[in-house]
Amino acid sequence: MGVIILVGSIVVWVLNYFPLRDKQAAGNPSDRTEMAVDDSKIDTSKDSYLQMLGKAINPMMEPIGFHWRATVAAIAGVPAKEIVVSTLGVLYTGNEEAEEQTLSARLKEPDPRTGKPDFTTASALAFMVFILLYCPCIATVTAVVKETGNPRYGLFSVLYNTAVAWLFAFATYHIALMFV
């Protein structure tokens, strides 16, 4: 299973790293903070493949309080859920100021465009519920397919668990909004 997790982690890295950009076209490194704060529209001149995928899927995740960065972290966590936190760390780092703050402080920082943070109490609770319940990691899906001898069971476990996770996260988000 370690090989599967390694391969999955490499795929996530490739999707997050490519396509390569010119330093002049991408701007200087201090502009990366502005890129990270950019709205949820896909910008093919700046976004990595993983960011584009997260922004494309995000309309389905907005009802449970996800910002596109949370969606990207959830996608990155498919190979192994351990990758979710490190992906958030990468997505919320971009300048010297961010280096001095903890990840939790960066997650709660207000977005300069909207004045609201990407993670509120309600969205953070929904995010944790979703990550806890959504599709099993690739190693588990592979084990299900090997044990059953049928790839349909692996696909079923991914779809069923993700649907249940979305429903529970939706309920958590909206119930939390009533109390927060």
Side-chain angles (χ1 to χ4, degrees), residues 12-133:
V12 166
W13 174 82
V14 167
L15 289 174
N16 195 37
Y17 188 76
F18 290 102
L20 292 175
R21 308 282 187 229
D22 267 3
K23 285 186 181 180
Q24 292 174 342
N28 64 32
S30 64
D31 291 341
R32 293 214 179 270
T33 303
E34 292 174 27
M35 274 195 316
V37 175
D38 200 5
D39 63 355
S40 60
K41 293 180 181 163
I42 296 172
D43 184 353
T44 56
S45 68
K46 296 179 182 176
D47 294 343
S48 69
Y49 292 129
L50 191 62
Q51 288 172 321
M52 288 185 243
L53 181 61
K55 289 178 180 181
I57 293 172
N58 199 54
M60 291 183 287
M61 305 302 274
E62 285 176 347
I64 59 175
F66 280 27
H67 186 270
W68 69 266
R69 288 184 200 93
T71 302
V72 168
I75 293 167
V78 170
K81 291 185 182 184
E82 294 82 1
I83 300 173
V84 172
V85 174
S86 62
T87 302
L88 286 173
V90 169
L91 292 172
Y92 283 92
T93 301
N95 60 21
E96 292 172 14
E97 253 181 51
E99 299 288 328
E100 296 173 11
Q101 295 177 324
T102 64
L103 178 58
S104 64
R106 287 181 268 158
L107 294 175
K108 293 185 275 186
E109 250 180 29
D111 182 331
R113 278 183 311 104
T114 63
K116 298 177 184 175
D118 289 348
F119 281 91
T120 61
T121 302
S123 65
L125 286 170
F127 183 76
M128 289 187 289
V129 167
F130 185 81
I131 296 301
L132 176 68
L133 298 174

